[in-house]
Structure formats: C-alpha cells, structure tokens
Amino acid sequence: MDVTPGYISNVENGRTVMSLRLLIYYAKIMGITLDELVGNLEPDYAPTALDNALMAEISRMENSKKEKLLETIKIWR
C-alpha cells in the first residue's frame, strides 16, 4: 500500500483516518466495492452498501437474466 508501519499503527489505533486513496486501494485488493467496505465498517451504512452491491451485480447481467431475476423476486415477496 506504499505506507509506513507507523501510518498503519496510527490508523489501527484511531490516531488518524485512512485516506480515500488508500480506502479505494484496499477495497480493490480485497475484491470489494468501496460501498461494501464502508458498509462493513459503519453499520448504519450497511443497507445502502447492500443495495449498491446488488445494483452493481444486476447491471452486469444480460436482460434475459434480469427478467428471470425479477420474476424470482416477485415470488419471494
């Protein structure tokens, strides 16, 4: 992450906050979105992070699969 051990220690002990650049980098290496990372850190944000993660996955689906997903969701209601 190109930071010093002292910086990591300060973040871990709450003396400083991680920069946005490092948060984005950390999310990328963990294979998650920044929304998911923040949702894991802040419980009040978790529902929004979940919605955003679902929308991101759905946006990558083909329309035929989106239609099937919609029908499945309607059954679950």
PDB file of all heavy atoms in Angstrom, residues 43-65:
ATOM      1  N   PRO A  43     -22.170   0.286  10.527  1.00  0.00           N
ATOM      2  CA  PRO A  43     -23.430  -0.474  10.478  1.00  0.00           C
ATOM      3  C   PRO A  43     -24.616   0.314   9.912  1.00  0.00           C
ATOM      4  O   PRO A  43     -25.464  -0.254   9.236  1.00  0.00           O
ATOM      5  CB  PRO A  43     -23.672  -0.847  11.942  1.00  0.00           C
ATOM      6  CG  PRO A  43     -22.333  -0.792  12.586  1.00  0.00           C
ATOM      7  CD  PRO A  43     -21.567   0.274  11.846  1.00  0.00           C
ATOM      8  N   ASP A  44     -24.679   1.616  10.158  1.00  0.00           N
ATOM      9  CA  ASP A  44     -25.796   2.413   9.641  1.00  0.00           C
ATOM     10  C   ASP A  44     -25.780   2.497   8.116  1.00  0.00           C
ATOM     11  O   ASP A  44     -26.796   2.756   7.491  1.00  0.00           O
ATOM     12  CB  ASP A  44     -25.769   3.835  10.216  1.00  0.00           C
ATOM     13  CG  ASP A  44     -26.116   3.867  11.692  1.00  0.00           C
ATOM     14  OD1 ASP A  44     -26.673   2.869  12.197  1.00  0.00           O
ATOM     15  OD2 ASP A  44     -25.817   4.878  12.344  1.00  0.00           O
ATOM     16  N   TYR A  45     -24.616   2.288   7.503  1.00  0.00           N
ATOM     17  CA  TYR A  45     -24.485   2.369   6.053  1.00  0.00           C
ATOM     18  C   TYR A  45     -24.680   1.023   5.373  1.00  0.00           C
ATOM     19  O   TYR A  45     -24.835   0.947   4.167  1.00  0.00           O
ATOM     20  CB  TYR A  45     -23.106   2.944   5.686  1.00  0.00           C
ATOM     21  CG  TYR A  45     -22.959   3.257   4.214  1.00  0.00           C
ATOM     22  CD1 TYR A  45     -23.606   4.346   3.651  1.00  0.00           C
ATOM     23  CD2 TYR A  45     -22.184   2.457   3.397  1.00  0.00           C
ATOM     24  CE1 TYR A  45     -23.483   4.637   2.302  1.00  0.00           C
ATOM     25  CE2 TYR A  45     -22.050   2.739   2.037  1.00  0.00           C
ATOM     26  CZ  TYR A  45     -22.703   3.824   1.512  1.00  0.00           C
ATOM     27  OH  TYR A  45     -22.579   4.103   0.177  1.00  0.00           O
ATOM     28  N   ALA A  46     -24.696  -0.054   6.161  1.00  0.00           N
ATOM     29  CA  ALA A  46     -24.761  -1.406   5.599  1.00  0.00           C
ATOM     30  C   ALA A  46     -25.931  -1.617   4.636  1.00  0.00           C
ATOM     31  O   ALA A  46     -25.734  -2.201   3.563  1.00  0.00           O
ATOM     32  CB  ALA A  46     -24.770  -2.449   6.705  1.00  0.00           C
ATOM     33  N   PRO A  47     -27.169  -1.176   4.955  1.00  0.00           N
ATOM     34  CA  PRO A  47     -28.263  -1.388   3.992  1.00  0.00           C
ATOM     35  C   PRO A  47     -28.014  -0.712   2.648  1.00  0.00           C
ATOM     36  O   PRO A  47     -28.286  -1.294   1.598  1.00  0.00           O
ATOM     37  CB  PRO A  47     -29.485  -0.791   4.695  1.00  0.00           C
ATOM     38  CG  PRO A  47     -29.154  -0.834   6.141  1.00  0.00           C
ATOM     39  CD  PRO A  47     -27.662  -0.599   6.202  1.00  0.00           C
ATOM     40  N   THR A  48     -27.484   0.491   2.646  1.00  0.00           N
ATOM     41  CA  THR A  48     -27.184   1.193   1.404  1.00  0.00           C
ATOM     42  C   THR A  48     -26.080   0.473   0.639  1.00  0.00           C
ATOM     43  O   THR A  48     -26.157   0.330  -0.590  1.00  0.00           O
ATOM     44  CB  THR A  48     -26.767   2.642   1.702  1.00  0.00           C
ATOM     45  OG1 THR A  48     -27.828   3.283   2.409  1.00  0.00           O
ATOM     46  CG2 THR A  48     -26.496   3.415   0.432  1.00  0.00           C
ATOM     47  N   ALA A  49     -25.068   0.003   1.345  1.00  0.00           N
ATOM     48  CA  ALA A  49     -23.982  -0.730   0.695  1.00  0.00           C
ATOM     49  C   ALA A  49     -24.502  -2.002   0.050  1.00  0.00           C
ATOM     50  O   ALA A  49     -24.096  -2.350  -1.063  1.00  0.00           O
ATOM     51  CB  ALA A  49     -22.887  -1.056   1.709  1.00  0.00           C
ATOM     52  N   LEU A  50     -25.416  -2.679   0.724  1.00  0.00           N
ATOM     53  CA  LEU A  50     -26.002  -3.904   0.166  1.00  0.00           C
ATOM     54  C   LEU A  50     -26.800  -3.586  -1.088  1.00  0.00           C
ATOM     55  O   LEU A  50     -26.674  -4.275  -2.104  1.00  0.00           O
ATOM     56  CB  LEU A  50     -26.881  -4.591   1.208  1.00  0.00           C
ATOM     57  CG  LEU A  50     -27.581  -5.866   0.769  1.00  0.00           C
ATOM     58  CD1 LEU A  50     -26.570  -6.921   0.331  1.00  0.00           C
ATOM     59  CD2 LEU A  50     -28.454  -6.398   1.895  1.00  0.00           C
ATOM     60  N   ASP A  51     -27.604  -2.534  -1.054  1.00  0.00           N
ATOM     61  CA  ASP A  51     -28.371  -2.120  -2.237  1.00  0.00           C
ATOM     62  C   ASP A  51     -27.433  -1.803  -3.404  1.00  0.00           C
ATOM     63  O   ASP A  51     -27.677  -2.224  -4.533  1.00  0.00           O
ATOM     64  CB  ASP A  51     -29.230  -0.887  -1.936  1.00  0.00           C
ATOM     65  CG  ASP A  51     -30.425  -1.196  -1.060  1.00  0.00           C
ATOM     66  OD1 ASP A  51     -30.778  -2.390  -0.933  1.00  0.00           O
ATOM     67  OD2 ASP A  51     -30.998  -0.246  -0.512  1.00  0.00           O
ATOM     68  N   ASN A  52     -26.362  -1.076  -3.116  1.00  0.00           N
ATOM     69  CA  ASN A  52     -25.419  -0.705  -4.176  1.00  0.00           C
ATOM     70  C   ASN A  52     -24.704  -1.925  -4.743  1.00  0.00           C
ATOM     71  O   ASN A  52     -24.481  -2.008  -5.954  1.00  0.00           O
ATOM     72  CB  ASN A  52     -24.408   0.312  -3.658  1.00  0.00           C
ATOM     73  CG  ASN A  52     -25.042   1.672  -3.403  1.00  0.00           C
ATOM     74  OD1 ASN A  52     -26.093   1.986  -3.922  1.00  0.00           O
ATOM     75  ND2 ASN A  52     -24.392   2.465  -2.578  1.00  0.00           N
ATOM     76  N   ALA A  53     -24.354  -2.886  -3.884  1.00  0.00           N
ATOM     77  CA  ALA A  53     -23.702  -4.099  -4.362  1.00  0.00           C
ATOM     78  C   ALA A  53     -24.651  -4.908  -5.247  1.00  0.00           C
ATOM     79  O   ALA A  53     -24.240  -5.429  -6.293  1.00  0.00           O
ATOM     80  CB  ALA A  53     -23.228  -4.944  -3.180  1.00  0.00           C
ATOM     81  N   LEU A  54     -25.918  -4.991  -4.846  1.00  0.00           N
ATOM     82  CA  LEU A  54     -26.902  -5.698  -5.670  1.00  0.00           C
ATOM     83  C   LEU A  54     -27.081  -5.021  -7.020  1.00  0.00           C
ATOM     84  O   LEU A  54     -27.114  -5.690  -8.062  1.00  0.00           O
ATOM     85  CB  LEU A  54     -28.252  -5.765  -4.949  1.00  0.00           C
ATOM     86  CG  LEU A  54     -28.375  -6.805  -3.848  1.00  0.00           C
ATOM     87  CD1 LEU A  54     -29.640  -6.571  -3.038  1.00  0.00           C
ATOM     88  CD2 LEU A  54     -28.382  -8.200  -4.440  1.00  0.00           C
ATOM     89  N   MET A  55     -27.197  -3.706  -7.016  1.00  0.00           N
ATOM     90  CA  MET A  55     -27.383  -2.974  -8.271  1.00  0.00           C
ATOM     91  C   MET A  55     -26.175  -3.138  -9.194  1.00  0.00           C
ATOM     92  O   MET A  55     -26.334  -3.263 -10.407  1.00  0.00           O
ATOM     93  CB  MET A  55     -27.648  -1.493  -7.998  1.00  0.00           C
ATOM     94  CG  MET A  55     -28.994  -1.227  -7.340  1.00  0.00           C
ATOM     95  SD  MET A  55     -30.395  -1.899  -8.256  1.00  0.00           S
ATOM     96  CE  MET A  55     -30.292  -0.962  -9.744  1.00  0.00           C
ATOM     97  N   ALA A  56     -24.983  -3.166  -8.627  1.00  0.00           N
ATOM     98  CA  ALA A  56     -23.784  -3.343  -9.443  1.00  0.00           C
ATOM     99  C   ALA A  56     -23.793  -4.717 -10.116  1.00  0.00           C
ATOM    100  O   ALA A  56     -23.464  -4.842 -11.301  1.00  0.00           O
ATOM    101  CB  ALA A  56     -22.528  -3.181  -8.585  1.00  0.00           C
ATOM    102  N   GLU A  57     -24.169  -5.745  -9.372  1.00  0.00           N
ATOM    103  CA  GLU A  57     -24.221  -7.089  -9.948  1.00  0.00           C
ATOM    104  C   GLU A  57     -25.316  -7.187 -11.002  1.00  0.00           C
ATOM    105  O   GLU A  57     -25.099  -7.753 -12.077  1.00  0.00           O
ATOM    106  CB  GLU A  57     -24.456  -8.136  -8.851  1.00  0.00           C
ATOM    107  CG  GLU A  57     -23.288  -8.318  -7.919  1.00  0.00           C
ATOM    108  CD  GLU A  57     -22.025  -8.779  -8.612  1.00  0.00           C
ATOM    109  OE1 GLU A  57     -22.106  -9.618  -9.537  1.00  0.00           O
ATOM    110  OE2 GLU A  57     -20.943  -8.312  -8.232  1.00  0.00           O
ATOM    111  N   ILE A  58     -26.464  -6.634 -10.723  1.00  0.00           N
ATOM    112  CA  ILE A  58     -27.586  -6.683 -11.673  1.00  0.00           C
ATOM    113  C   ILE A  58     -27.242  -5.937 -12.954  1.00  0.00           C
ATOM    114  O   ILE A  58     -27.580  -6.383 -14.052  1.00  0.00           O
ATOM    115  CB  ILE A  58     -28.871  -6.130 -11.023  1.00  0.00           C
ATOM    116  CG1 ILE A  58     -29.346  -7.095  -9.917  1.00  0.00           C
ATOM    117  CG2 ILE A  58     -29.971  -5.911 -12.058  1.00  0.00           C
ATOM    118  CD1 ILE A  58     -30.446  -6.533  -9.031  1.00  0.00           C
ATOM    119  N   SER A  59     -26.546  -4.826 -12.837  1.00  0.00           N
ATOM    120  CA  SER A  59     -26.222  -4.031 -14.030  1.00  0.00           C
ATOM    121  C   SER A  59     -25.321  -4.794 -15.002  1.00  0.00           C
ATOM    122  O   SER A  59     -25.302  -4.494 -16.191  1.00  0.00           O
ATOM    123  CB  SER A  59     -25.570  -2.712 -13.633  1.00  0.00           C
ATOM    124  OG  SER A  59     -24.268  -2.922 -13.141  1.00  0.00           O
ATOM    125  N   ARG A  60     -24.609  -5.798 -14.512  1.00  0.00           N
ATOM    126  CA  ARG A  60     -23.721  -6.577 -15.378  1.00  0.00           C
ATOM    127  C   ARG A  60     -24.422  -7.782 -16.010  1.00  0.00           C
ATOM    128  O   ARG A  60     -23.823  -8.481 -16.812  1.00  0.00           O
ATOM    129  CB  ARG A  60     -22.506  -7.047 -14.578  1.00  0.00           C
ATOM    130  CG  ARG A  60     -21.564  -5.911 -14.215  1.00  0.00           C
ATOM    131  CD  ARG A  60     -20.249  -6.414 -13.657  1.00  0.00           C
ATOM    132  NE  ARG A  60     -20.325  -6.835 -12.272  1.00  0.00           N
ATOM    133  CZ  ARG A  60     -20.143  -6.047 -11.220  1.00  0.00           C
ATOM    134  NH1 ARG A  60     -19.884  -4.775 -11.399  1.00  0.00           N
ATOM    135  NH2 ARG A  60     -20.213  -6.519 -10.005  1.00  0.00           N
ATOM    136  N   MET A  61     -25.669  -8.016 -15.635  1.00  0.00           N
ATOM    137  CA  MET A  61     -26.394  -9.182 -16.156  1.00  0.00           C
ATOM    138  C   MET A  61     -27.006  -8.881 -17.521  1.00  0.00           C
ATOM    139  O   MET A  61     -27.307  -7.729 -17.843  1.00  0.00           O
ATOM    140  CB  MET A  61     -27.521  -9.568 -15.184  1.00  0.00           C
ATOM    141  CG  MET A  61     -27.053 -10.045 -13.832  1.00  0.00           C
ATOM    142  SD  MET A  61     -28.399 -10.262 -12.660  1.00  0.00           S
ATOM    143  CE  MET A  61     -29.143 -11.749 -13.288  1.00  0.00           C
ATOM    144  N   GLU A  62     -27.212  -9.944 -18.287  1.00  0.00           N
ATOM    145  CA  GLU A  62     -27.931  -9.815 -19.552  1.00  0.00           C
ATOM    146  C   GLU A  62     -29.404  -9.582 -19.244  1.00  0.00           C
ATOM    147  O   GLU A  62     -29.912  -9.999 -18.200  1.00  0.00           O
ATOM    148  CB  GLU A  62     -27.793 -11.102 -20.366  1.00  0.00           C
ATOM    149  CG  GLU A  62     -26.372 -11.424 -20.765  1.00  0.00           C
ATOM    150  CD  GLU A  62     -26.260 -12.800 -21.420  1.00  0.00           C
ATOM    151  OE1 GLU A  62     -27.298 -13.453 -21.646  1.00  0.00           O
ATOM    152  OE2 GLU A  62     -25.125 -13.212 -21.684  1.00  0.00           O
ATOM    153  N   ASN A  63     -30.113  -8.923 -20.167  1.00  0.00           N
ATOM    154  CA  ASN A  63     -31.520  -8.599 -19.929  1.00  0.00           C
ATOM    155  C   ASN A  63     -32.373  -9.839 -19.667  1.00  0.00           C
ATOM    156  O   ASN A  63     -33.278  -9.802 -18.831  1.00  0.00           O
ATOM    157  CB  ASN A  63     -32.100  -7.797 -21.091  1.00  0.00           C
ATOM    158  CG  ASN A  63     -31.680  -6.345 -21.040  1.00  0.00           C
ATOM    159  OD1 ASN A  63     -31.272  -5.848 -19.999  1.00  0.00           O
ATOM    160  ND2 ASN A  63     -31.764  -5.662 -22.166  1.00  0.00           N
ATOM    161  N   SER A  64     -32.092 -10.938 -20.361  1.00  0.00           N
ATOM    162  CA  SER A  64     -32.892 -12.154 -20.147  1.00  0.00           C
ATOM    163  C   SER A  64     -32.734 -12.656 -18.711  1.00  0.00           C
ATOM    164  O   SER A  64     -33.704 -13.109 -18.091  1.00  0.00           O
ATOM    165  CB  SER A  64     -32.490 -13.244 -21.140  1.00  0.00           C
ATOM    166  OG  SER A  64     -31.120 -13.596 -20.970  1.00  0.00           O
ATOM    167  N   LYS A  65     -31.532 -12.546 -18.161  1.00  0.00           N
ATOM    168  CA  LYS A  65     -31.315 -12.967 -16.778  1.00  0.00           C
ATOM    169  C   LYS A  65     -31.947 -11.979 -15.795  1.00  0.00           C
ATOM    170  O   LYS A  65     -32.432 -12.377 -14.735  1.00  0.00           O
ATOM    171  CB  LYS A  65     -29.828 -13.124 -16.500  1.00  0.00           C
ATOM    172  CG  LYS A  65     -29.230 -14.312 -17.219  1.00  0.00           C
ATOM    173  CD  LYS A  65     -27.789 -14.527 -16.853  1.00  0.00           C
ATOM    174  CE  LYS A  65     -27.252 -15.755 -17.577  1.00  0.00           C
ATOM    175  NZ  LYS A  65     -25.876 -16.052 -17.204  1.00  0.00           N
TER     176      LYS A  65
END
